[in-house]
Amino acid sequence: MDGRDHRKEGPIDRKRIGDRFWETFSPTSERPRSALGLRMVLAIFGLVVCGALAVVAFLLGLVVLGVIMAILALIALVDLVVVVRRRRAA
């Protein structure tokens, strides 16, 4: 090492470390403003996938699986409504 005692330098500047993280790993080099955008995309994805799987399961006669997928699609729809309302309020 360089001979200095790093414990005496004071507290770690977490803001500077966080800024370096986003400069390195973010495609825009910015901190995200809100996680609601990602949550909305994931809710839409869950709604589409679970809805499609529910339809396919019902067409194949797998009623139990179809009901489970329909319930998951309903949960994704409720989550999407909540996210949209929060984004409009902000």
Side-chain angles (χ1 to χ4, degrees), residues 2-3 14 22 29 32-33 38 57 63 67 73 76 78-79 82-83 86:
D2 58 2
R14 294 184 193 277
W22 289 112
S29 297
R33 288 185 217 111
L38 176 62
V63 178
V67 169
V78 169
D79 187 39
V82 169
V83 170
R86 284 188 182 178

Side-chain angles (χ1 to χ4, degrees), residues 2-20:
D2 58 2
R4 292 187 295 168
D5 189 4
H6 293 285
R7 290 176 288 173
K8 294 180 182 179
E9 290 183 9
I12 297 172
D13 186 7
R14 294 184 193 277
K15 183 178 181 334
R16 194 181 65 157
I17 290 173
D19 290 340
R20 280 196 317 215

Side-chain angles (χ1 to χ4, degrees), residues 48-89:
V48 170
V49 169
C50 291
L53 287 176
V55 170
V56 169
F58 283 126
L59 290 176
L60 293 176
L62 303 170
V63 178
V64 174
L65 182 62
V67 169
I68 291 170
M69 289 294 111
I71 290 171
L72 290 175
L74 181 64
I75 291 170
L77 179 64
V78 169
D79 187 39
L80 184 59
V81 169
V82 169
V83 170
V84 169
R85 289 183 67 186
R86 284 188 182 178
R87 284 188 67 158
R88 286 185 182 165

